[in-house]
Amino acid sequence: MARHDAGWCLRANRWGEWRAVRRFFAVVSRLGDGVFWYVLMGALLLVDGIDGLAASAHMAATGVTALLLYKALKRWTRRPRPFASDTRIQAWVAPLDEFSFPSGHTLHAVSFSLVALSHYPALAWLLIPFSACVAASRVVLGLHYPSDVLAATGIGVALASLSVWLVPGVRLLGG
């Protein structure tokens, strides 16, 4: 499995050889560092007042939990980043930390998106493609293996589901 994971990572990373692709995913990745989510939380507050504040607070609480979980998992697994393990893989942007598993960008994108969508399902047109691009960016940029992104997606779904379940009157995906 590790061989296939590395192979998929190498194939995706080669897309970064095209400058436009590399720039696109570098911008998406940078926005996924937090900028996009902070702007979204601020916009929800401005547009929807107290309900926007509640949704933003819910996202923030989930984000803090995601951050603690992701940092603990990185310390525990200590999986080297793809570019550190395979000289054929290029890191197209600088990593935020040393280890690969799980993808914190993906974990946050998935958990933030699902919590936001539980409050505002109409934002699916924006949040689902953006989160998918964040996840793809991590592999294309040579910072994560596909399995890091898939695991982070599962963790993000589980965390968001628990978070939504704990908040009365909120349902996953607004259902």
Side-chain angles (χ1 to χ4, degrees):
M1 179 165 162
R3 190 176 84 241
H4 291 296
D5 203 24
W8 280 107
C9 186
L10 180 60
R11 283 189 281 284
N13 185 245
R14 287 186 178 144
W15 282 92
E17 292 172 2
W18 286 300
R19 188 169 43 184
V21 171
R22 186 171 61 246
R23 283 185 181 169
F24 172 78
F25 283 120
V27 168
V28 166
S29 183
R30 179 66 182 113
L31 290 172
D33 281 350
V35 173
F36 179 86
W37 307 112
Y38 305 140
V39 169
L40 176 63
M41 287 183 231
L44 294 176
L45 176 62
L46 289 173
V47 170
D48 207 19
I50 196 74
D51 289 336
L53 176 61
S56 296
H58 189 182
M59 289 174 66
T62 303
V64 168
T65 305
L67 180 65
L68 295 172
L69 182 58
Y70 133 86
K71 284 187 177 261
L73 286 169
K74 287 230 181 197
R75 274 193 310 273
W76 181 59
T77 61
R78 301 170 99 46
R79 183 180 195 187
R81 292 201 181 261
F83 68 86
S85 299
D86 187 333
T87 58
R88 299 172 300 168
I89 296 173
Q90 173 72 40
W92 296 111
V93 298
L96 296 178
D97 58 41
E98 184 179 0
F99 299 114
S100 180
F101 184 89
S103 166
H105 280 74
T106 304
L107 194 160
H108 282 90
V110 169
S111 60
F112 281 146
S113 289
L114 289 175
V115 170
L117 291 173
S118 70
H119 292 272
Y120 300 98
L123 291 177
W125 68 271
L126 173 65
L127 299 183
I128 292 171
F130 179 72
S131 292
C133 285
V134 167
S137 78
R138 308 312 288 165
V139 181
V140 170
L141 295 173
L143 302 175
H144 289 283
Y145 294 99
S147 60
D148 298 335
V149 169
L150 290 173
T153 299
I155 295 165
V157 167
L159 178 60
S161 298
L162 176 62
S163 178
V164 168
W165 180 75
L166 290 171
V167 175
V170 179
R171 301 216 189 286
L172 197 57
L173 300 177

